[in-house]
Amino acid sequence: MSAWPDDARPDAAPPVRLRKMRRADMTAIMALEQELFPEDAWTPEMFAAEFAQPPSRRLYLVAEHGNALTGYAGMMFTGGSQADVVTLAVTPARWGRGTGTALLLALLDEADKRGYEEVLLEVREDNPRARRLYLRHGFDEVGIRRGYYQPSGVDAVVMRKVLR
Ligand SMILES: CC(C)(COP(=O)(O)OP(=O)(O)OC[C@H]1O[C@@H](n2cnc3c(N)ncnc32)[C@H](O)[C@@H]1OP(=O)(O)O)[C@@H](O)C(=O)NCCC(=O)NCCS
């Protein structure tokens, strides 16, 4: 048995902290957005339009490590039975340490609490890392949207997770 409780081990990685996204996060988010989605980056205007939506319709979260913003994710609640993951991003230096999982699970948990029956998302066909993450968390690949991402023309894989 370890001499240290889990949260006191000297080499224990600090846990991912999640909180709601704020307008003041936009500079860090736009930098990550350009880095991670060079062909399909959202513009500040697109994020502003999302901020203008009521909390009943949207949830945007950020992950922090120390003082740095290390990731973000968003979900759209349409009011029917279906919620959509609209974005998920983690700074490359932090990949593989559970930040993407923490963000995704927080969104799924919220959809579940709000009584949604299923969660859908689109992911680039050429993004095996993200597809694996979603498969691991109970999403199935249910369709293809040909040429969905423009201007690249890359296909989108539609994935769905049934909550209830
Ligand atoms: C896809 C993405 C969000 C994943 O984020 P992440 O923080 O690396 O995700 P996680 O760390 O939770 O899981 C990723 C991998 O790390 C592994 N992992 C998770 N926690 C870990 C830990 N504590 N220690 C070691 N490995 C771990 C997982 O098993 C997983 O392995 P796999 O890729 O071989 O399946 C991130 O790579 C990203 O931002 N990519 C670019 C943008 C993008 O593609 N977004 C999705 C658009 S739909």
Side-chain angles (χ1 to χ4, degrees):
M1 200 172 121
S2 162
W4 298 87
D6 272 347
D7 57 357
R9 274 178 25 237
D11 61 345
V16 181
R17 290 197 323 272
L18 303 184
R19 63 162 172 80
K20 286 198 178 147
M21 190 184 284
R22 302 193 277 255
R23 280 175 206 277
D25 298 322
M26 252 329 103
T27 306
I29 286 170
M30 287 314 302
L32 251 184
E33 185 75 16
Q34 300 281 351
E35 181 182 359
L36 293 176
F37 307 108
E39 294 179 4
D40 328 291
W42 285 17
T43 61
E45 292 73 26
M46 289 163 82
F47 275 104
E50 290 296 283
F51 271 122
Q53 296 287 328
S56 60
R57 295 279 177 182
R58 297 288 190 279
L59 176 66
Y60 280 87
L61 299 173
V62 301
E64 290 179 310
H65 181 80
N67 291 327
L69 188 152
T70 54
Y72 55 93
M75 180 165 262
M76 176 167 76
F77 302 96
T78 50
S81 60
Q82 173 190 327
D84 294 81
V85 176
V86 289
T87 188
L88 174 64
V90 174
T91 193
R94 301 289 309 168
W95 284 5
R97 301 176 192 206
T99 306
T101 295
L103 284 162
L104 179 63
L105 290 181
L107 294 182
L108 293 175
D109 189 46
E110 186 64 23
D112 188 41
K113 281 188 185 138
R114 295 188 189 199
Y116 280 81
E117 290 172 15
E118 57 178 4
V119 175
L120 277 99
L121 59 83
E122 279 107 15
V123 54
R124 283 174 67 111
E125 187 274 332
D126 61 359
N127 189 348
R129 189 180 177 85
R131 287 170 69 180
R132 269 202 312 273
L133 177 72
Y134 299 131
L135 286 171
R136 208 168 44 245
H137 293 287
F139 283 82
D140 295 316
E141 299 190 342
V142 294
I144 299 280
R145 292 196 210 286
R146 298 272 169 223
Y148 181 81
Y149 295 97
Q150 294 299 328
S152 61
V154 171
D155 295 343
V157 179
V158 182
M159 300 187 72
R160 179 179 65 177
K161 179 180 170 74
V162 176
L163 298 179
R164 52 173 53 79

